[in-house]
Amino acid sequence: MHKIGKTILFDEPPVIIGNAGVVGKKEGEGPLAKDFDAIFEDTTLGQTSYELAESAMLHDAIIRGLTSAGISAKDVDFVLSGDLLDQCMGSAFAIKDLEIASIGLFGACSTMALSLTVGSMLVSAGAKNVVCATSSHFCSSERQFRFPLEYGGQRPPSSQWTVTGAGSAIVSNKGKGIKIKAIQVGTITDLGVTDANNMGAAMAPAATRTIGDFLTDTKTKPSDYDLIVTGDLGYTGSELLYQLMKKEYNIDLKPYHNDCGKMIYNLKEQDVNSGGSGCGCGASVLCSHIIKNMKKGRLKKVLFVATGALMSPTSSKQGNSIPGIAHAVLLEV
Amino acid sequence: MHKIGKTILFDEPPVIIGNAGVVGKKEGEGPLAKDFDAIFEDTTLGQTSYELAESAMLHDAIIRGLTSAGISAKDVDFVLSGDLLDQCMGSAFAIKDLEIASIGLFGACSTMALSLTVGSMLVSAGAKNVVCATSSHFCSSERQFRFPLEYGGQRPPSSQWTVTGAGSAIVSNKGKGIKIKAIQVGTITDLGVTDANNMGAAMAPAATRTIGDFLTDTKTKPSDYDLIVTGDLGYTGSELLYQLMKKEYNIDLKPYHNDCGKMIYNLKEQDVNSGGSGCGCGASVLCSHIIKNMKKGRLKKVLFVATGALMSPTSSKQGNSIPGIAHAVLLEV
């Protein structure tokens, strides 16, 4: 690999040899239903808590990913995973019985892109197969970050709906599949947003910076890509991204951009305010819908940029800002 | 790099070109006081919350590490950091203004070893300089994991005292310093321990496995090392480690082993029950005392193994077990 500006380009691109995206009932009623590898009508997955349900869903996504790659856990060098739960318990209980060397990540909702950026560099360093994965669950997130579900708190229009979903991608040093041609590990960007009900606004500046820097480093323009897709900016965050891209880089991004948080739900019918969010949003959409469309030849060059809002209930209640981060992964057929 | 069993050996070993370990008042009254790079008598560091105090301390450790390496933030490819606070807020606020591409990690108390294992592989992949860092703070940990400080809860003898401390190591592809000859990313090990007041017992099985596998893979025995040092098993966990090493590998580890949680406090005078714990325990001791002794030639070959207890207050209250993990780093002069 070699570096141009902040972007890492792979001389021998790692390959996604397997992938799976699984979701809950609500996501299975949205426009991408036919592309998901599994839809869990019972979002408890038969577990005794929402937290263990999230772990069971992530475990399922990893097993499906390995199966689609035609390899087993013993063929894997490292699993890279993280999630939104305190101390990343969603991942810990998902992978604890897999017997794979485990690298715990924290990138908030950017985790799918973070795991792909780090995982692809580890493959570049010499690893043969790595699992990149993450998850989120509406019910475990709501009670941790907001209110008990039973309280029925009202949500402002800028708020987003945490996706119940998980995704896994098996990245390898050889084999057939989508190639990871380049990546960019994001730099934390903090414009002082403090509204925990407006994650899109907190994350849009980081997305702007990473997309802008990536285009600059690679001397490309948005029209060179079939799709530039963010993880979970939602409607509010996407509009802010367009404004910032125009202002900071004089680039009209809108015609080439979509957001997994806009794609996963039917806005008019599913009552999700500004769209989907959570680690599982970008992960489930990338690892099912997007990669399937790439394999079918409908998309050939996709820049996946997942953003994270670096906040905790404690940091927000203490009045701190919400720093954002965005990691980028260039996928090509 | 190449892999033997679960161990990664570096053909061109990455080098620790800079390092710093900083601590709070209590740690500054312990036996390692003279080796720390800074002792903060005021453990609030002038901040408005314990959480921001932890971030300020970690920020300080990173800046001191960079200074000792003679490089600045702009020379760094990635900073790898994580901590015990919900959503790793200690790290987010420590590094948000450094303008370095950021890889968030979660490994509980194993984070210093996790950051060194991943960081050294990224250097092996082509990165020039990476910062590996972590922190913990007694006051932010107590109120998050246990009780408000004012409550004055009683502690059982197996409980440990969270170290107020931070450490940073600058790992580079060239230069003078301690070499990272090999690493092992740990595999989660869960023997079903559920007592959140006995972290040593939850982590000892993982330490046993990683140390045992490392010795097996490298065909070495404990007497080949000047020191095999764990991060924060404390007195209880260390005794369990000796028992398990004897039982599982028929190895008498005790004469060659020490634990940062035993080294950092004076057990008889400092009322810390089973010793120190927390990400900052292994980090501050490794990045000051141990590396300084290696530079002075008193230690030449050290196996640093930091362990993590993968639990959250939620997972423990829900009655789940506490899976453990241990990552290993082989340091040589």
Side-chain angles (χ1 to χ4, degrees):
Chain A
M1 68 187 215
H2 64 281
K3 197 173 169 188
I4 295 177
K6 293 207 151 191
T7 303
I8 306 276
L9 291 99
F10 293 110
D11 308 307
E12 296 177 28
V15 184
I16 297 176
I17 60 165
N19 54 284
V22 305
V23 294
K25 183 171 184 288
K26 188 181 181 88
E27 295 70 23
E29 293 164 352
L32 307 183
K34 69 174 178 15
D35 282 340
F36 294 121
D37 296 283
I39 296 167
F40 295 103
E41 292 290 322
D42 171 8
T43 51
T44 73
L45 280 85
Q47 299 294 316
T48 52
S49 70
Y50 296 134
E51 290 75 16
L52 289 177
E54 179 173 340
S55 294
M57 187 175 58
L58 176 55
H59 185 269
D60 182 272
I62 292 172
I63 298 297
R64 285 176 197 271
L66 288 170
T67 305
S68 84
I71 65 172
S72 66
K74 67 175 169 39
D75 303 315
V76 176
D77 294 298
F78 311 113
V79 54
L80 299 100
S81 185
D83 55 276
L84 293 172
L85 297 185
D86 293 345
Q87 288 74 52
C88 296
M89 281 302 103
S91 294
F93 284 89
I95 62 185
K96 81 182 183 72
D97 298 322
L98 288 174
E99 292 289 318
I100 307 175
S102 301
I103 295 170
L105 297 177
F106 180 76
C109 302
S110 76
T111 307
M112 191 68 223
L114 178 61
S115 66
L116 287 168
T117 59
V118 180
S120 57
M121 287 192 283
L122 295 184
V123 166
S124 182
K128 284 177 183 154
N129 298 302
V130 302
V131 174
C132 305
T134 187
S135 62
S136 57
H137 194 298
F138 176 77
C139 300
S140 61
S141 276
E142 276 300 300
R143 72 170 170 191
Q144 180 180 284
F145 286 105
R146 295 171 196 98
F147 299 104
L149 284 180
E150 297 80 355
Y151 175 69
Q154 292 291 303
R155 302 152 154 276
S158 62
S159 74
Q160 293 170 247
W161 189 278
T162 306
V163 164
T164 299
S168 79
I170 321 298
V171 180
S172 179
N173 63 344
K174 60 181 181 186
K176 281 190 179 177
I178 309 301
K179 290 193 168 80
I180 299 177
K181 296 292 271 290
I183 55 144
Q184 186 178 121
V185 175
T187 301
I188 298 176
T189 305
D190 182 7
L191 295 195
V193 173
T194 55
D195 182 358
N197 277 311
N198 194 348
M199 293 296 175
M203 301 188 294
T208 304
R209 179 180 190 161
T210 296
I211 295 170
D213 286 353
F214 191 93
L215 295 174
T216 305
D217 290 345
T218 56
K219 291 182 181 144
T220 55
K221 50 191 187 303
S223 59
D224 294 330
Y225 301 83
D226 294 317
L227 178 65
I228 294 176
V229 62
T230 44
D232 66 341
L233 288 178
Y235 289 88
T236 310
S238 294
E239 287 304 319
L240 291 170
L241 172 65
Y242 305 148
Q243 290 177 25
L244 288 167
M245 284 300 295
K246 189 73 192 164
K247 188 180 164 195
E248 303 283 337
Y249 295 89
N250 195 29
I251 285 175
D252 180 20
L253 187 68
K254 192 169 183 176
Y256 313 97
H257 172 263
N258 207 342
D259 180 77
C260 298
K262 290 161 73 172
M263 296 157 76
I264 195 165
Y265 296 120
N266 188 321
L267 182 68
K268 288 186 182 164
E269 295 167 13
Q270 291 193 282
D271 190 24
V272 293
N273 290 336
S274 190
S277 69
C279 305
C281 181
S284 65
V285 174
L286 177 77
C287 297
S288 62
H289 177 73
I290 293 174
I291 290 183
K292 280 181 184 170
N293 274 292
M294 293 189 77
K295 285 181 177 170
K296 286 174 184 165
R298 290 177 194 158
L299 297 168
K300 285 178 180 161
K301 189 173 181 178
V302 174
L303 184 63
F304 174 67
V305 181
T307 55
L310 303 177
M311 54 80 68
S312 75
T314 303
S315 71
S316 278
K317 283 172 192 158
Q318 289 178 347
N320 295 310
S321 61
I322 304 174
I325 194 160
H327 307 288
V329 184
L330 174 60
L331 302 170
E332 280 192 48
V333 174
Chain B
M1 66 187 214
H2 64 282
K3 198 173 166 185
I4 295 178
K6 294 208 149 190
T7 304
I8 307 276
L9 291 100
F10 293 109
D11 307 309
E12 296 178 30
V15 183
I16 298 177
I17 60 166
N19 54 284
V22 305
V23 294
K25 182 171 185 288
K26 187 181 181 86
E27 294 71 24
E29 293 165 352
L32 307 183
K34 67 177 178 16
D35 282 340
F36 294 122
D37 296 285
I39 296 167
F40 295 103
E41 293 289 323
D42 172 9
T43 52
T44 73
L45 281 86
Q47 300 294 316
T48 53
S49 70
Y50 297 133
E51 290 75 17
L52 290 177
E54 180 174 341
S55 296
M57 188 175 57
L58 177 55
H59 185 271
D60 182 272
I62 293 171
I63 298 299
R64 284 176 198 270
L66 289 169
T67 304
S68 84
I71 64 172
S72 66
K74 68 175 169 39
D75 303 315
V76 175
D77 294 297
F78 312 113
V79 54
L80 299 99
S81 186
D83 56 274
L84 293 173
L85 296 185
D86 293 345
Q87 288 73 54
C88 296
M89 281 303 104
S91 294
F93 284 89
I95 62 187
K96 80 181 182 73
D97 297 323
L98 288 175
E99 293 288 317
I100 307 176
S102 300
I103 295 171
L105 297 176
F106 180 76
C109 302
S110 75
T111 306
M112 192 66 225
L114 178 62
S115 66
L116 286 168
T117 60
V118 180
S120 56
M121 287 192 284
L122 296 183
V123 167
S124 182
K128 284 178 185 154
N129 298 302
V130 303
V131 174
C132 305
T134 187
S135 63
S136 57
H137 194 298
F138 176 78
C139 301
S140 60
S141 276
E142 277 300 300
R143 71 171 171 191
Q144 179 179 285
F145 287 105
R146 297 173 196 96
F147 300 103
L149 284 181
E150 297 80 356
Y151 174 69
Q154 292 290 306
R155 303 153 153 273
S158 61
S159 74
Q160 294 170 244
W161 189 277
T162 305
V163 164
T164 299
S168 79
I170 320 301
V171 180
S172 178
N173 64 344
K174 61 180 181 185
K176 281 190 180 176
I178 309 300
K179 289 192 168 78
I180 298 176
K181 296 293 271 292
I183 56 143
Q184 186 178 124
V185 175
T187 300
I188 299 177
T189 305
D190 182 8
L191 296 194
V193 173
T194 55
D195 181 358
N197 276 312
N198 194 349
M199 293 297 175
M203 301 189 294
T208 304
R209 180 181 191 161
T210 296
I211 295 171
D213 287 353
F214 191 93
L215 295 175
T216 305
D217 291 345
T218 55
K219 293 181 180 144
T220 54
K221 50 190 188 303
S223 58
D224 293 330
Y225 300 83
D226 294 318
L227 177 66
I228 295 176
V229 62
T230 44
D232 65 341
L233 288 178
Y235 289 88
T236 310
S238 293
E239 286 303 320
L240 292 169
L241 172 64
Y242 305 149
Q243 290 176 25
L244 288 167
M245 284 301 295
K246 188 73 193 166
K247 187 181 164 194
E248 304 283 336
Y249 295 90
N250 195 29
I251 284 175
D252 180 21
L253 187 68
K254 193 169 182 175
Y256 313 98
H257 171 265
N258 207 342
D259 180 76
C260 299
K262 289 160 72 173
M263 295 157 74
I264 196 167
Y265 296 121
N266 188 322
L267 182 68
K268 290 188 182 166
E269 294 166 14
Q270 291 193 285
D271 190 24
V272 292
N273 290 335
S274 192
S277 69
C279 305
C281 180
S284 64
V285 174
L286 177 76
C287 298
S288 62
H289 176 71
I290 293 174
I291 292 183
K292 280 182 184 170
N293 273 292
M294 293 187 79
K295 286 181 179 170
K296 285 175 184 165
R298 289 177 195 159
L299 297 168
K300 285 179 180 162
K301 188 173 181 178
V302 173
L303 184 63
F304 175 67
V305 181
T307 56
L310 304 177
M311 54 79 70
S312 76
T314 303
S315 71
S316 278
K317 283 172 193 157
Q318 290 178 347
N320 295 311
S321 60
I322 304 173
I325 196 162
H327 307 288
V329 184
L330 174 59
L331 302 169
E332 281 191 47
V333 175

